[in-house]
Amino acid sequence: MTRTMTFDVISDVVCPWCVIGLLGLERALDATGDVVAPVIRLQPFELNPHMPPGGQDIGEHLREKYGPRADGGGEVRERIRSMAAALGFEMVRRPGARIYNTFDAHRLIEHAQREGHGLAVAHLLFRAYFTEGRDPGDPSVLMDAARTAGLDAGAARGVIESGTYAAEVRIAEDEWRDNGITSVPTIIVDKRYVIQGAQEPAAYERAIRRIAAEQPTPVG
């Protein structure tokens, strides 16, 4: 007998660990279909909310954010690429890579989620950034993701051009930060259990089975 469980996945589409976290979670949920009927809710988090249009060279950005030690992160980046590849996702290394603002990407994901296509759009934006090197906040990139995911093109264009869901995204971001979420990915299960950081699918699976085996706390 399966138990319905909600998974609030707090992430950003320019966060490499978020790719690994979401893919790992999805693989774990495929393996736990005997005990869990999952409801995944994508939640917004901007790593760089003040990033200007056009973005910034990623090396320069990391040095500004973390200091000179950021230059020694090649080994970590290779590990990230290797972990993503093991989950079937290609992260392409390219000179002159940039980091971008993702607010509009989160607005589109909010719209897509309400239409039942949130995960598809998130995956497409991850691929646009990490595999294709495109700006996930660029309106043309957002429209490509919307069309490919099967969203109504006119409605998606209206969201992108009008600023729709801006308030909803800001409120959600503020609420997560007010609740102590300062790094991503963070996964909240049934509004009670917190899984922080990207995990291997097997680790997610163990956590999911452990939670599913517990008796739900009555409400009211």
Side-chain angles (χ1 to χ4, degrees), residues 65-120:
K65 194 169 185 177
Y66 300 110
R69 65 188 177 88
D71 290 331
E75 185 177 324
V76 173
R77 289 190 289 273
E78 285 302 321
R79 177 170 169 249
I80 290 171
R81 275 189 282 271
S82 177
M83 292 175 69
L87 292 166
F89 186 91
E90 182 184 14
M91 290 187 180
V92 176
R93 186 198 317 185
R94 52 174 50 84
R98 302 183 73 78
I99 190 84
Y100 298 99
N101 182 277
T102 55
F103 183 67
D104 288 341
H106 287 299
R107 289 195 303 105
L108 180 63
I109 290 171
E110 176 65 21
H111 169 66
Q113 194 154 234
R114 293 171 186 240
E115 299 296 318
H117 297 283
L119 282 170

Side-chain angles (χ1 to χ4, degrees), residues 107-194:
R107 289 195 303 105
L108 180 63
I109 290 171
E110 176 65 21
H111 169 66
Q113 194 154 234
R114 293 171 186 240
E115 299 296 318
H117 297 283
L119 282 170
V121 168
H123 281 295
L124 287 162
L125 292 177
F126 277 133
R127 189 172 71 192
Y129 179 63
F130 288 105
T131 306
E132 300 167 1
R134 305 174 75 192
D135 176 357
D138 186 296
S140 66
V141 174
L142 295 173
M143 279 304 304
D144 284 348
R147 291 191 193 94
T148 303
L151 288 170
D152 178 82
R157 183 176 292 105
V159 169
I160 293 165
E161 294 178 352
S162 69
T164 303
Y165 300 121
E168 288 85 347
V169 169
R170 291 291 187 216
I171 289 169
E173 288 180 331
D174 289 345
E175 286 181 349
W176 291 119
R177 289 184 186 277
D178 288 347
N179 280 285
I181 305 301
T182 59
S183 63
V184 287
T186 296
I187 299 170
I188 313 293
V189 185
D190 281 349
K191 299 183 179 181
R192 296 178 59 202
Y193 308 91
V194 180

